[in-house]
């Protein structure tokens, strides 16, 4: 599937898509309180219009038999989404988050919209994306270490026959 | 026969008030919060999400609070709630091979790359009641070491000889059956069977899986791999024209490997059964994988001799919302039905009595 490049990114379309995918992946994992705090910390409060009203629905989660084989429908998950456009420059942003918090979806869409030019993207990166990414990585590392500590070390008992 | 019955509104209202009061229990005991249920009764939450077929821990916790901990009732609440929501997307297939694992073991392969990770397991506990839990505590687990970035699924990785059958993907444009959209029909493809089993009652699957081990289907299972952990869910975003990862869900996967002596059409090899469930649901995933394998009997040319191999029997009775609805509807007023049956039984008895009297008269006359 091809996609239009983000409007003013001076980068290749694929790199623009990859950057936006990364941003949305991290934003989707940010707590609502973190998103609200980042919004409040902006020097200028953005104004936006809803292109798509915040909405909660379901996404069917697909899986594969054996992890790699025939597809099947495992079950659904709740998802909230929103699409906005900024009042000052008309840039568009979308937010999709797991769960039923429509405000989170709207805030993700706003930050996505604010990241649609290079200067905005850099600002939001420093204010929100990088710290959340760091926090997620720290949590992952701490969890992984606890799991790694449960690794079984097998040893063989040598029979003293000689 | 169903006949509309009026009346009882006041009694029903009062009954529901009494239920609410009983659900709350002794008011001098602090009320449970939904967050407490979500965090501290996650085993119940995971089962309600899996069988309610909606991943949302807060919603499942709330349903458990409302059902006073009755899991099947909570599952029913979740199923009812989902009908109020629109379907916004279908995810790309989750990649369990890229799971951020919390647990990963194999009973077939001791030295698997990445190692055996026990994770948060009840295995090897002594199942002695821990009276220390009567007091509050905040346990801390030790962290030591790192996990490999990628932990490959061992059944496929260690199958160089090809003695274990391979699971092959379907065509990208092939239809994937969906029981939330279409009724169950037979013959049911593996996609439909796996969806049905994923939503199926855990106790029912456990009993059926157990039956296959006890000889009711030729099953010689080994755990190829069990893994639990987080997988990312990606969905195509129509506004963007590409897929975005919108969050992680916790799932448990079981790859069961079964000895297979071969059939007229297939040489001896190992075959596979698959189990997958939301949350930490190892018993469910294992039971599901046993039943999935048993239901492949026809495809593999095996004789169908056992209940767990009978797709119609297994799949028609697996859903506890349907089962509990049909069993429990017997409580509803059947007054007219019963009156009709009473009349029928009276008539039959009268006819038999009259016939007997005729025989006695005839015998007496001889």
């Amino acid at each position: 599937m091809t996609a239009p490049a983000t409007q003013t990114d001076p980068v290749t379309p694929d790199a623009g898509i990859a950057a936006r995918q990364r941003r949305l992946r991290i934003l989707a994992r940010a707590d609502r309180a973190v998103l609200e705090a980042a919004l409040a910390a902006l020097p200028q409060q953005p104004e936006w219009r809803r292109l798509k009203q915040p909405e909660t629905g379901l996404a069917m989660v697909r899986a594969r038999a054996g992890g790699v084989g025939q597809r099947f429908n495992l079950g659904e998950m709740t998802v909230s989404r929103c699409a906005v456009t900024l009042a000052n420059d008309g840039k568009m942003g979308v937010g999709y988050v797991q769960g039923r918090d429509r405000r989170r979806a709207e805030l993700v869409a706003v930050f996505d919209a604010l990241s649609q030019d290079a200067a905005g993207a850099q600002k939001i990166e420093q204010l929100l994306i990088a710290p959340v990414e760091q926090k997620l990585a720290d949590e992952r590392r701490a969890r992984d270490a606890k799991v790694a500590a449960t690794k079984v070390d097998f040893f063989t008992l040598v029979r003293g026959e000689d | 026969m169903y006949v509309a019955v009026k009346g009882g509104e006041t009694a029903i209202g009062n009954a529901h008030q009494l239920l609410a009061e009983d659900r709350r229990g002794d008011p001098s005991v602090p009320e449970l919060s939904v967050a407490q249920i979500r965090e501290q009764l996650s085993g119940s939450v995971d089962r309600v999400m899996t069988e309610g077929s909606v991943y949302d821990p807060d919603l499942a916790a709330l349903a458990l609070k409302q059902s006073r901990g009755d899991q099947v009732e909570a599952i029913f609440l979740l199923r009812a709630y989902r009908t109020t929501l629109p379907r916004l997307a279908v995810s790309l297939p989750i990649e369990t091979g890229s799971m951020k694992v919390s647990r990963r073991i194999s009973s077939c392969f001791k030295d698997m790359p990445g190692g055996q990770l026990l994770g948060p397991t009840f295995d090897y506990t002594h199942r002695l009641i821990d009276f220390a839990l009567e007091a509050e505590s905040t346990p801390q687990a030790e962290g030591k070491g790192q996990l490999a970035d990628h932990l490959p699924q061992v059944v496929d990785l260690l199958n160089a000889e090809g003695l274990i059958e391979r699971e092959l993907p379907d065509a990208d444009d092939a239809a994937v059956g969906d029981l939330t959209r279409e009724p169950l029909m037979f013959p049911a493809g593996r996609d439909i069977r796996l969806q049905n089993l994923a939503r199926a009652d855990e106790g029912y699957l456990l009993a059926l899986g157990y039956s296959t081990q006890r000889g009711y289907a030729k099953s010689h299972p080994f755990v190829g791999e069990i893994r639990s952990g987080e997988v990312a869910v990606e969905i195509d975003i129509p506004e963007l024209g590409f897929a975005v990862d919108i969050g992680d869900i916790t799932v448990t996967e079981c790859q069961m490997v079964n000895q297979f002596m071969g059939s007229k059409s297939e040489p001896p090899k190992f075959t596979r059964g698959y189990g997958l469930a939301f949350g930490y649901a190892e018993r469910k995933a294992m039971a599901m994988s046993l039943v999935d394998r048993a239901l492949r009997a026809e495809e593999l040319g095996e004789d169908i001799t056992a209940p767990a191999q009978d797709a119609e029997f297994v799949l028609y009775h697996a859903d506890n919302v349907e089962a509990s609805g049909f069993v429990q509807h017997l409580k509803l007023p059947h007054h007219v039905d019963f009156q009709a049956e009473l009349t029928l039984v009276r008539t039959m008895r009268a006819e038999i009595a009259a016939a007997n009297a005729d025989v006695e008269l005839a015998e007496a006359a001889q």
Side-chain angles (χ1 to χ4, degrees):
Chain A
M1 198 178 285
T2 57
T6 46
Q7 287 133 347
T8 54
D9 272 349
V11 288
T12 62
D14 282 354
I17 290 172
R20 198 168 187 184
Q21 283 175 320
R22 167 180 165 269
R23 232 171 12 233
L24 288 170
R25 168 170 57 79
I26 294 163
L27 285 170
R29 288 163 169 78
D31 295 337
R32 177 162 162 186
V34 170
L35 296 171
E36 295 280 13
L39 183 71
L42 289 173
Q44 257 186 326
Q45 284 306 290
E47 285 178 27
W48 64 88
R49 193 166 57 79
R50 292 166 173 176
L51 289 174
K52 198 173 253 175
Q53 291 296 317
E55 176 185 28
T56 294
L58 296 165
M60 175 56 87
V61 179
R62 286 252 165 98
R64 290 186 182 278
V68 293
Q70 185 181 350
R71 291 167 300 162
F72 70 97
N73 290 310
L74 172 63
E76 288 162 312
M77 65 189 281
T78 50
V79 171
S80 297
R81 71 175 177 192
C82 185
V84 301
T85 176
L86 296 179
N88 62 344
D89 59 10
K91 294 226 162 55
M92 196 271 278
V94 298
Y96 275 76
V97 298
Q98 181 184 352
R100 285 165 294 129
D101 190 343
R102 294 190 292 273
R103 174 69 177 168
R104 261 182 74 214
E106 184 164 17
L107 291 172
V108 168
V110 170
F111 284 111
D112 181 47
L114 290 169
S115 303
Q116 291 311 310
D117 61 62
Q122 199 185 0
K123 202 166 60 183
I124 302 303
E125 173 73 25
Q126 286 171 356
L127 174 70
L128 180 60
I129 308 290
V132 170
E133 188 176 39
Q134 185 61 50
K135 178 169 171 281
L136 292 169
D138 291 346
E139 287 169 357
R140 171 59 53 200
R141 202 174 307 112
R143 176 69 184 179
D144 282 359
K146 288 177 185 179
V147 174
T150 70
K151 185 168 168 177
V152 180
D153 289 319
F154 286 104
F155 53 90
T156 311
L157 297 176
V158 180
R159 298 198 302 184
E161 284 175 345
D162 52 5
Chain B
M1 186 170 87
Y2 297 95
V3 175
V5 177
K6 271 180 75 79
E9 289 91 343
T10 311
I12 290 169
N14 290 342
H16 292 167
Q17 277 182 10
L18 183 58
L19 171 66
E21 185 182 308
D22 282 4
R23 172 172 56 219
R24 175 62 182 87
D26 181 348
S28 69
V29 175
E31 184 169 350
L32 271 176
S33 72
V34 170
Q36 283 173 326
I37 297 170
R38 184 194 65 218
E39 294 300 312
Q40 296 171 41
L41 295 177
S42 61
S44 287
V45 168
D46 289 347
R47 181 173 173 199
V48 170
M49 292 197 300
T50 294
E51 294 172 36
S53 206
V54 179
Y55 192 99
D56 187 322
D58 289 292
L59 203 57
L62 179 58
L64 277 163
K65 181 174 179 178
Q66 184 177 337
S67 72
R68 57 198 300 195
D70 181 325
Q71 292 182 320
V72 176
E73 187 68 25
I75 288 160
F76 194 168
L77 292 170
L78 221 55
R79 291 274 188 94
Y81 179 81
R82 71 158 288 283
T83 65
T84 68
L85 295 179
R87 168 83 59 84
L88 302 183
V90 174
S91 85
L92 307 185
I94 54 174
E95 290 179 20
T96 53
S98 306
M99 185 185 288
K100 303 293 180 194
V101 301
S102 279
R103 172 167 168 79
R104 184 234 199 184
I105 56 161
S106 170
S107 68
C108 300
F109 308 106
K110 180 166 72 77
D111 298 316
M112 60 177 167
Q116 310 256 356
L117 301 161
L118 298 180
T121 182
F122 289 118
D123 294 353
Y124 317 112
T125 62
H126 293 110
R127 268 71 181 213
L128 300 173
I129 292 277
D130 182 1
F131 290 97
L133 287 174
E134 286 182 329
E136 291 178 13
S137 63
T138 311
Q140 256 334 98
E142 283 296 312
K144 197 182 100 200
Q146 288 175 308
L147 291 185
D149 267 349
H150 186 67
L151 291 169
Q153 272 147 325
V154 71
V155 173
D156 292 302
L157 187 74
L158 299 183
N159 190 21
E161 282 180 89
L163 295 181
I164 305 171
E165 71 172 334
R166 295 182 199 285
E167 296 274 13
L168 299 173
D170 51 342
D172 281 346
D173 57 354
V176 180
D178 186 352
L179 290 169
T180 69
R181 298 288 170 94
E182 314 122 30
L184 181 59
M185 302 281 272
F186 293 91
R190 192 152 180 226
D191 51 344
I192 287 288
R193 299 198 306 254
L194 286 170
Q195 184 182 13
N196 175 288
L197 297 178
R199 294 153 55 102
D201 184 85
E202 178 175 323
Y204 173 80
L205 283 190
L206 184 64
L208 282 173
Y210 181 38
S211 75
T212 70
Q213 291 178 277
R214 291 195 64 257
Y216 289 91
K218 287 171 193 154
S219 158
H220 302 275
F222 301 90
V223 170
E225 183 176 347
I226 291 172
R227 53 171 61 198
S228 294
E230 292 178 8
V231 291
V233 178
E234 280 184 87
I235 62 176
D236 276 319
I237 309 289
E239 295 92 334
L240 299 179
F242 53 82
V244 168
D245 166 357
I246 62 159
D248 296 311
I249 60 172
T250 301
V251 297
T252 298
E253 175 183 69
C254 176
Q255 307 264 8
M256 202 66 87
V257 175
N258 296 64
Q259 190 189 342
F260 176 65
M261 303 312 285
S263 66
K264 288 178 197 118
S265 56
E266 300 277 349
K269 65 181 173 187
F270 291 97
T271 55
R272 293 168 67 161
Y274 188 62
L276 188 65
F278 289 146
Y280 289 90
E282 195 160 287
R283 190 172 46 231
K284 163 76 185 238
M286 291 180 76
M288 177 175 167
S289 67
L290 291 172
V291 178
D292 172 47
R293 171 59 187 82
L295 290 176
R296 297 184 58 215
E298 191 174 351
E299 162 199 344
L300 292 165
E302 294 170 325
D303 292 335
I304 295 176
T305 56
Q309 297 169 312
D310 181 338
E312 287 201 25
F313 179 84
V314 170
L315 302 180
Y316 268 137
H317 302 109
D319 191 289
N320 60 25
V321 176
E322 283 173 18
S324 130
F326 201 56
V327 168
Q328 295 207 64
H329 102 282
L330 296 173
K331 295 180 295 192
L332 299 177
H334 282 69
H335 304 145
V336 177
D337 270 353
F338 190 65
Q339 286 302 319
E341 298 272 322
L342 268 180
T343 308
L344 179 65
V345 171
R346 280 194 200 107
T347 309
M348 286 160 59
R349 288 174 68 117
E351 282 170 4
I352 292 166
N356 287 344
D358 286 349
V359 170
E360 277 167 30
L361 269 177
E363 281 171 356
Q366 279 175 359

